[in-house]
Amino acid sequence: MRRQPTFFVLDDKMVAVFSVEKDNCKVTMECLFSKTGIEDYTIEYHGPIEKKAELMNLAIEEAHHIFETNILTV
């Protein structure tokens, strides 16, 4: 189940803050969106280094989902 991210407006861009969790690991992501897609992001990771790449990929996939379902429709 996906939780609704928190949204902020920055000039003409949208910022979404959300978390992805898996196997006791957590990524919190702040993602800056323009009208064409992801422009920039920051990631805070908590968990073993071996899972970092996997969780970062899940966060980026979630960011693309947020863009398609929430940003494109605005």
Side-chain angles (χ1 to χ4, degrees):
M1 182 175 159
R2 289 189 160 109
R3 287 183 242 145
Q4 186 67 18
T6 302
F7 291 102
F8 302 94
V9 176
L10 181 64
D11 293 326
D12 63 339
K13 297 178 174 106
M14 185 75 69
V15 177
V17 179
F18 60 94
S19 296
V20 174
E21 297 179 34
K22 182 179 179 186
D23 299 332
N24 294 323
C25 301
K26 181 178 179 180
V27 169
T28 301
M29 185 175 202
E30 293 181 18
C31 194
L32 177 67
F33 296 99
S34 67
K35 293 179 182 179
T36 58
I38 298 171
E39 197 157 302
D40 199 7
Y41 59 86
T42 60
I43 292 178
E44 180 180 341
Y45 174 73
H46 297 278
I49 194 74
E50 299 82 21
K51 295 276 190 174
K52 184 178 177 183
E54 178 185 359
L55 269 286
M56 288 177 63
N57 286 335
L58 288 175
I60 292 170
E61 287 175 20
E62 181 66 13
H64 285 292
H65 175 77
I66 290 168
F67 177 74
E68 292 170 0
T69 58
N70 294 287
I71 308 301
L72 281 178
T73 60
V74 174

